[in-house]
Amino acid sequence: GEGPGVGEGKYDVVLTAETIYEVKSAGRLIECMRRLLKPSGVAYIAAKSYYFGVGGSTRQFEEQVAGLEKERRLERVGLWQDGASNVREVLKLGPVIGPA
C-alpha cells in the first residue's frame, strides 16, 4: 500500500513480478522495498530481461539499484530461456554481507 507507516520494516520477503518494465518507476519500486523490508529482508523480482516497446530491462534495473541502494545488493538467482520467447529472470535484492 501507499502512504507513510504502512508495513514499514516489517517484512522478511517481498515478491514482485513484471514491475520493472518502465524505467521511470524503478526508483519508486526500490524505495518501496527499502521501506517495507526488515534490515535482513530480501525481495525477489521476476521480470523479462528486456521489455520491447517500453524500454525497461533487468540490466537497467541493476544499474538503478547500484546507484540508489547502498545497503542491499542485487543478484540474478534464476534465468529461463526457451529460444522462442523473451528471456525471463528472477533477481534477488538482499542485504550486503561482507565486501561488495
Side-chain angles (χ1 to χ4, degrees), residues 6-95:
V6 177
E8 290 188 17
K10 286 187 172 185
Y11 299 97
D12 294 312
V13 178
V14 171
L15 306 174
T16 77
E18 306 298 337
T19 52
I20 64 168
Y21 54 89
E22 284 195 38
V23 176
K24 66 183 180 182
S25 62
R28 286 183 61 193
L29 178 63
I30 294 164
E31 177 58 32
C32 180
M33 289 187 278
R34 183 183 295 136
R35 276 192 353 255
L36 295 176
L37 288 169
K38 292 179 179 179
S40 60
V42 297
Y44 291 94
I45 301 101
K48 295 176 183 139
S49 294
Y50 182 77
Y51 289 89
F52 296 98
V54 290
S57 72
T58 51
R59 299 298 78 78
Q60 282 183 324
F61 186 69
E62 287 175 357
E63 291 171 9
Q64 288 175 301
V65 168
L68 294 173
E69 182 59 71
K70 303 304 180 206
E71 302 294 319
R72 297 180 188 278
R73 183 178 312 160
L74 194 68
E75 65 179 300
R76 184 173 62 193
V77 295
L79 176 71
W80 290 266
Q81 300 181 60
D82 64 9
S85 61
N86 201 334
V87 177
R88 297 174 188 278
E89 300 180 48
V90 173
L91 307 174
K92 176 185 172 187
L93 183 65

